[in-house]
Amino acid sequence: MLRGKCEKGEEGMEWRFRNRPELRRTALLALCAAAAASFAAHGFLFSNEFFSHDSVSYFTYGTGTPAFYTGIGRFLIPLYEQLKGDVAAPWLIGLLFTLWMAGTGLLAADLLEIRSRGGVALTCALLCANMSLTLTGATYVYCMDEYAFALLCAAGAVWLFARGRWRDAAAGVGALVVSLAVYQAYFT
């Protein structure tokens, strides 16, 4: 994070990447680190169809209806599934999980002012292979990408709040609402 003058002379945060090539290189590094860590930690899960009891009941007993998700406060999951497609293809879940976690890692590295390439790579790897997400994949593989999307939105909200401008704070509230409408556990 770079602290400096923002518009109208107020203090705030600016994106640490001064130019597009640096941002592209760091984003590619984050994506490669997230892909390597995701494949190492969850590769078997993303390349096979071994659904757990919850995954099977999701498709057979109608627990994935919009009314069900609205009732538990996750009212944006049906919209997310409309955009993704109503499938539980492990490779698609793995691809989306990796993309969302790469974005989360990039935002986390910027928030924590991690400058080194190794630090960015380790941040992404630790986020992808942590125990919480590994256990999520063991039981709730069908919604692993949704939870990663919620985490990306939560990290995006924090990043926007840290910028210190009122427009960014308003966008941060929107990102936080999206995160909470997908999965409430990332609020704390």
Side-chain angles (χ1 to χ4, degrees):
M1 269 185 321
L2 295 177
R3 297 276 175 194
K5 294 288 181 185
C6 294
E7 54 187 68
K8 297 183 186 173
E10 58 205 20
E11 283 292 317
M13 184 185 101
E14 298 173 10
W15 186 255
R16 75 178 178 99
F17 305 107
R18 287 291 183 188
N19 54 43
R20 284 213 183 294
E22 183 184 356
L23 175 59
R24 268 189 242 136
R25 279 192 303 273
T26 307
L28 182 61
L29 173 66
L31 182 61
C32 290
S38 294
F39 186 75
H42 314 293
F44 185 77
L45 178 69
F46 295 152
S47 60
N48 293 290
E49 292 185 5
F50 292 105
F51 294 110
S52 68
H53 60 288
D54 280 342
S55 298
V56 172
S57 71
Y58 172 77
F59 292 107
T60 56
Y61 296 116
T63 58
T65 63
F68 170 77
Y69 283 122
T70 302
I72 61 173
R74 299 177 186 177
F75 57 90
L76 284 184
I77 287 181
L79 176 63
Y80 179 89
E81 288 179 352
Q82 285 281 325
L83 296 173
K84 176 179 80 169
D86 195 16
V87 296
W91 63 269
L92 179 60
I93 292 167
L95 177 67
L96 292 172
F97 173 83
T98 302
L99 289 173
W100 303 147
M101 293 308 292
T104 303
L106 192 60
L107 289 173
D110 191 53
L111 280 165
L112 298 172
E113 299 181 12
I114 298 172
R115 305 271 188 244
S116 70
R117 295 171 68 184
V120 172
L122 282 174
T123 301
C124 292
L126 289 172
L127 281 169
C128 289
N130 71 62
M131 184 64 75
S132 175
L133 292 174
T134 300
L135 293 175
T136 297
T139 306
Y140 305 107
V141 64
Y142 64 93
C143 55
M144 199 169 173
D145 60 320
E146 296 163 357
Y147 293 177
F149 179 70
L151 186 59
L152 172 65
C153 291
V158 172
W159 188 84
L160 287 164
F161 290 143
R163 291 187 64 152
R165 293 181 249 173
W166 71 269
R167 278 183 244 136
D168 294 328
V173 168
L176 189 59
V177 167
V178 170
S179 176
L180 291 172
V182 174
Y183 189 54
Q184 296 85 6
Y186 297 128
F187 183 64
T188 55

